[in-house]
Amino acid sequence: MPHIHVTCAIIERNGHVLAAQRSSSMKMPLKWEFPGGKIEEDEAPRDCLQREIFEELSLNVEIICDLSPVSYQYPDFRITLYPYVCSTTSNAFKLREHSQALWLKPEALHALDWAEADLPVLAAYNSWLENGRQ
């Protein structure tokens, strides 16, 4: 069974977080996720994150900190997510893969229909916020 390694960005700006909805042609169509992508062979996760966010959203981000990796077993593959809390100075983005993206307050994120692997990332982010961003 394939095991993929993926970075994801929890992008903050002015008290909001960017959530992206997968397109109808992607696996897990229309589920919400933190944007990011597959780590290429011999690529550092932080480099992957910067590359993927620029490729997917035309957005430059600054990494604030990393959260603990999360693994999830789907029926046909296993995924390990490497989440990073990031900031950006721009709220303008261009969607290249997702159907939509929204800036939401952290407390509103739970209302979205998240991809299952992103749920523990969301919980870790909420815990990080509750513990004073440490």
Side-chain angles (χ1 to χ4, degrees):
M1 185 170 299
H3 184 173
I4 58 172
H5 296 268
V6 175
T7 59
C8 63
I10 303 163
I11 305 169
E12 298 179 323
R13 183 172 188 278
N14 295 336
H16 291 76
V17 175
L18 189 66
Q21 187 179 41
R22 297 176 67 82
S23 75
S24 58
S25 63
M26 297 169 85
K27 277 190 173 189
M28 295 169 283
L30 305 179
K31 292 282 191 174
W32 289 86
E33 66 180 1
F34 293 112
K38 291 180 188 172
I39 301 171
E40 294 179 359
E41 192 173 328
D42 298 324
E43 184 178 37
R46 286 173 171 255
D47 294 339
C48 170
L49 183 82
Q50 300 280 356
R51 176 184 56 76
E52 286 284 353
I53 297 305
F54 191 78
E55 286 176 3
E56 289 183 7
L57 300 168
S58 293
L59 198 60
N60 289 308
V61 296
E62 180 181 331
I63 296 172
I64 297 169
C65 78
D66 57 321
L67 301 178
S68 295
V70 170
S71 291
Y72 187 83
Q73 181 70 53
Y74 284 102
D76 54 344
F77 69 98
R78 182 171 183 77
I79 186 169
T80 298
L81 292 172
Y82 299 85
Y84 293 90
V85 179
C86 304
S87 64
T88 186
T89 56
S90 173
N91 66 349
F93 53 82
K94 272 189 219 161
L95 296 176
R96 296 211 163 108
E97 293 183 11
H98 294 89
S99 64
Q100 66 175 316
L102 300 172
W103 290 104
L104 297 170
K105 291 278 193 186
E107 56 272 16
L109 293 171
H110 72 279
L112 300 175
D113 183 19
W114 289 91
E116 289 83 358
D118 282 78
L119 288 171
V121 173
L122 178 57
Y125 175 63
N126 285 329
S127 177
W128 181 76
L129 289 174
E130 289 168 9
N131 290 317
R133 302 174 65 88
Q134 295 179 11

